[in-house]
Amino acid sequence: MAQKSNFKNNNNRRTPIQADTEMGRIPPQAVEVEEAILGALLLEKDAFLIVSELLKPECFYREAHQHIFQAISNLFFHEQPVDILTVTEELKKLGKLEEVGGAFFVSQLTSRVASAAHIEYHARIIWQKYLQREMIHISSDLQTRSYDESLDVNDLLDEAENSFFLLSQGTMKKDVTQIDPVIQESIERIKEAGKRTDGLSGVPSGFTGLDRMTSGWQASDLVIIAARPAMGKTAFVLSMARNMAITHKQPVALFSLEMANVQLVNRLIVSETEIPGEKIKNGNLSPQEWEQLDSKIHSLMGAPIFVDDTPGLSVFELRAKCRRLKKQHDIKIIIIDYLQLMSAAGMNPGSREQEVSMISRSLKGLAKELDVPIIALSQLNRGVENRTGLEGKRPQLADLRESGAIEQDADMVCFIHRPEYYGLFEDAEGYSLEGMGEVIIAKHRNGATGDVRLRFRKELARFEDPDLQGLPMAGDGFDPGNGGSEPMTLKSKMNEDEGVPSGGFAPGQGGGFDAPPAGFDKDAPF
């Protein structure tokens, strides 16, 4: 009973070390190994380079050792020599010399080890002990707070998840790799891509022109798809999710922070069955439409689309859920609608701009960790609305909202543009822009930039490849001899000032044609 009362009284909470000692346990530690590491750092001037990426002062169990390691770190980063005398002097400046045991204790550390030969092995022992202590600390604190019935259990779960997430972040350290095995891995991936009949190396979007520009969405890439409100961002990713999951059998994770999962599914049903959305909403279907619904909805049943509509989703929650989905369903792509509605809870951002920066960096890190592409929708600022003319309404990289880090972290930045939304129904040459949607690839780290025209069916909120009916649209097709239409891509000037090759016909860029196909008119209207 005494133990239980201690848990409930926050003023008398015991530290994990005290709790373990009272129960007859000593926290994981290796004091002699700590002394050996510090002694090696005092003997070898280059030893700190070996352990600096792995250890930090709090990794040491004894507080005196923490202060000594901090003093050595200070000297190293100020490019000062590290030895018994300089470390003793630095401890004096920090006011910690007497606290660690004086100059005699520092001098005695060099007798604990003969050389720095095994310092990396010793450092890994200290790192493991530190992780064990941190896990005990988190678990003990969680256990104590779990007895407090005034706390919300969901808040406790979030805090526990965030704590373990931050701890695991520090364990993901990779060694430097010599280039040979990386080259071999790259060759293997090229061979695998060459075996595919569609010529794609990534996850196909289902839009022919876009896939030719990107070779599919590539693993570990962060792709930002941005547009002004009501431009069709959600419709675009839902159309892609449908193509990926149903046509190409690729498992898709879709996180919707804006719409409920039932709303999303209703939009998928409208797109798949081609029954107007109002009728789906109010259920006023004719017998023929009920038959149409019944016959076409089967394609959605069993589709590997996994929807999560958690509002205000945090980066930590997203990472945990994506890890589970990757393990259980081997998801091939992650879609987030949309980035600005996410939170960086637990990261303590100083401002909204810093928060968005943390979110974008975390998404890029998650894409690399799971080795899948992440597509995140993003809002644009109002700069587009203040510009006039056909070209003025086209989005630019500077229009990305709230943080320049989005542009920096993304491997690709694409804009969705529908001129008819602004009352622009003809291009400069007089060709119709009605029903035309445009994907502007403004940044492409590993390929060419350019524009891809798609057909937008407003009544179904669906994007699809353009057909061959009516006047030619940029993005309408030609017959390359394979009996089907093939949308063409357009040149973009978005990145020309950065020296990035643009257009769909950039040789050697891996996106677009090596040469214009037969029958292509290079002077075709925009």
Side-chain angles (χ1 to χ4, degrees), residues 103-145:
F104 176 76
F105 179 80
V106 176
S107 65
Q108 288 295 303
L109 290 173
T110 55
S111 64
R112 308 295 190 204
V113 63
S115 72
H118 305 294
I119 191 170
E120 183 175 1
Y121 180 77
H122 292 159
R124 294 193 181 279
I125 294 175
I126 297 305
W127 175 249
Q128 290 171 4
K129 301 297 183 184
Y130 165 72
L131 289 180
Q132 289 176 289
R133 292 197 302 273
E134 286 298 295
M135 286 189 283
I136 292 170
H137 175 77
I138 294 170
S139 301
S140 176
D141 185 65
L142 179 63
Q143 182 185 38
T144 301
R145 301 188 66 192

Side-chain angles (χ1 to χ4, degrees), residues 72-84:
I72 294 172
S73 300
N74 294 348
L75 291 170
F76 179 83
F77 288 115
H78 288 93
E79 299 182 352
Q80 300 295 319
V82 176
D83 56 37
I84 295 174

